[in-house]
Amino acid sequence: MTDLAVLVFALSALGLAHVFVGYPLWMLALARWRPRPLQPRAWKPRVTAVLAVHDGAQHVRAKLENLLALDYPPALLDIVVACDGCRDDSATRCRQLGDARVRVLEFATRRGKAACLNDAVAQARGEVLLMTDVRQRLEPDALRRLVAVLGDPHVGAVSGQLRLFDAQTGFARGIDAYWRYETLLRASESRSGSAIGVSGALYAVRRSLFRPLPPGTVLDDVLVPMQVAAAGWRVAYEPAAVAWDGSSQQPREEQRRKIRTLAGNYQLVQLAPWLLLPWRNPLWFRFVSHKLLRLLAPWLLLALALSAAALAPRHALFALTALGLLAVVAAVVAGRLLPALGARLPIRLLTAFCYLNLFAAQALLAFARNRRLHLW
């Protein structure tokens, strides 16, 4: 039993070290010493912006006005809005704009985002698809910057940068720090070859490379770029193309969205098992390291804690590990009880880390209970 506990401890520690330290450092090293520079060029193809909406009346008019005001030739930009079983007046508000460049597809039955995207793309006229969500606001130059990167003949899809604003609480600032870490990792992946995901709030893809999404797909912002990479194209990241979104101030606000997104990774493997095959997925190592092992992280932490506790009487290393993990939990609890303490940088980073791993654990349970993740 002691040998088994030592093996569990070692494998858990190595797995966690790879996910949170080794893989990011490897991507940073490749980006620095073996970069693959992009070759953007001035290019102005026809673009169709695609927007799927469910009960989005609160945001949809402002979103369309934001898209129509982008710094891009008006004659080369049109918009297709797919209203998915909306119970509000989202479709009416879209039509009230009275702009011929906006086409509205209205579906009485709620089918999920993937079905709406497939139908909207089928109606697209542009050579490039601008994919975005209803809530986020785009900077005026965002589309122009994305299209310039697609001017590189080797790039098939490119993501913009999602930035968070209004981070008022310690939890919100911790999530913002995590997101900056995530964007640094995506930038390093892009500079060294290809990123494995894009931001659903803002990305562009060549229409010729878009493949219809399987019914119910949650993570189009992972499957679409992975399909692009499998076809032999690069997936780039352009941090100067910016979309803005509000921060979640408390864990409960972030919980539902994050669990659904993380559960979507389990669904992704179910829908596209070729992602697990190194000979079919050219980004296999990056996909496993960045996406799949992240899902295992909470279970690796649990295994590390249990094995360290069992081995604590035998060696100081195990005892210190167990005490360290216990101290992290105590610090997070204290930070939640004492907001002034929770606002301090180390505590808010630990809080974000713990909650994100808690959400990852809950995601597996959510996916096991409910496979109908696609219904928004």
Side-chain angles (χ1 to χ4, degrees):
M1 291 298 294
T2 300
D3 291 341
L4 178 60
V6 171
L7 180 62
V8 169
F9 180 91
L11 292 178
S12 301
L14 287 173
L16 291 166
H18 174 73
V19 172
F20 295 114
V21 181
Y23 175 69
L25 287 179
W26 178 243
M27 288 298 104
L28 286 168
L30 285 180
R32 181 176 178 85
W33 286 296
R34 294 187 61 185
R36 294 180 57 190
L38 296 170
Q39 299 175 359
R41 65 180 175 90
W43 186 46
K44 291 185 179 177
R46 186 175 183 87
V47 177
T48 296
V50 174
L51 185 64
V53 179
H54 173 68
D55 290 351
Q58 179 182 356
H59 304 287
V60 70
R61 186 181 179 97
K63 179 67 177 195
L64 292 178
E65 290 173 345
N66 176 227
L67 290 172
L68 293 170
L70 292 175
D71 180 16
Y72 201 77
L76 297 178
L77 175 64
D78 66 289
I79 304 169
V80 180
V81 184
C83 295
D84 186 32
C86 294
R87 297 163 297 182
D88 59 17
D89 61 345
S90 293
T92 300
R93 295 194 180 202
C94 294
R95 296 188 178 104
Q96 285 174 344
L97 279 174
D99 195 308
R101 291 178 293 165
V102 178
R103 285 172 289 157
V104 181
L105 307 179
E106 190 171 5
F107 303 102
T109 303
R110 186 179 175 190
R111 300 174 302 152
K113 183 180 180 182
C116 289
L117 291 181
N118 289 339
D119 290 336
V121 170
Q123 298 292 320
R125 301 167 183 163
E127 182 180 354
V128 169
L129 303 172
L130 174 65
M131 314 296 278
T132 186
D133 289 334
V134 70
R135 194 178 64 246
Q136 295 84 13
R137 176 180 59 84
L138 310 187
E139 288 289 337
D141 62 349
L143 175 56
R144 179 165 47 82
R145 290 183 179 277
L146 292 180
V147 166
V149 175
L150 283 179
D152 184 322
H154 302 291
V155 175
V158 55
S159 175
Q161 178 184 182
L162 178 63
R163 290 185 184 173
L164 303 177
F165 65 89
D166 195 32
Q168 299 178 3
T169 65
F171 175 79
R173 289 195 290 273
I175 293 295
D176 182 61
Y178 158 76
W179 188 243
R180 282 186 273 116
Y181 158 82
E182 177 68 19
T183 55
L184 175 63
L185 180 54
R186 289 189 184 185
S188 298
E189 290 174 338
S190 175
R191 285 197 297 268
S192 61
S194 281
I196 61 159
V198 293
S199 171
L202 176 61
Y203 71 98
V205 60
R206 299 178 190 271
R207 181 161 63 98
S208 61
L209 297 177
F210 183 91
R211 299 291 177 265
L213 297 164
T217 302
V218 171
L219 297 184
D220 65 281
D221 51 1
V222 179
L223 184 54
V224 170
M226 294 303 292
Q227 290 172 331
V228 167
W233 297 73
R234 289 182 68 180
V235 178
Y237 172 71
E238 174 49 81
V242 176
W244 292 94
D245 198 1
S247 300
S248 298
Q249 304 300 328
Q250 298 297 335
R252 188 172 296 277
E253 298 173 34
E254 183 75 4
Q255 182 180 29
R256 182 177 180 275
R257 184 195 68 81
K258 198 64 180 177
I259 289 176
R260 182 176 180 276
T261 300
L262 291 167
N265 286 288
Y266 291 105
Q267 183 211 46
L268 191 64
V269 172
Q270 181 185 51
L271 295 175
W274 60 268
L275 292 170
L276 298 177
L277 306 177
W279 56 91
R280 291 195 56 190
N281 181 358
L283 301 180
W284 178 84
F285 176 74
R286 298 182 182 211
F287 176 73
V288 170
S289 298
H290 193 153
K291 292 295 181 182
L292 298 189
L293 290 182
R294 287 269 189 95
L295 297 175
L296 289 179
W299 310 109
L300 292 174
L301 283 166
L302 179 61
L304 184 71
L306 293 176
S307 59
L311 294 167
R314 298 181 175 272
H315 196 280
L317 171 64
F318 305 121
L320 288 173
T321 301
L323 288 173
L325 292 172
L326 187 61
V328 168
V329 173
V332 170
V333 172
R336 297 299 297 161
L337 295 175
L338 302 171
L341 179 63
R344 295 182 179 275
L345 179 62
I347 303 300
R348 65 176 188 246
L349 293 179
L350 290 175
T351 299
F353 177 82
C354 288
Y355 271 107
L356 290 174
N357 279 285
L358 176 61
F359 298 157
Q362 292 174 318
L364 174 59
L365 304 178
F367 180 69
R369 287 196 305 265
N370 176 25
R371 305 300 176 91
R372 292 171 62 82
L373 297 168
H374 64 287
L375 290 181
W376 303 80

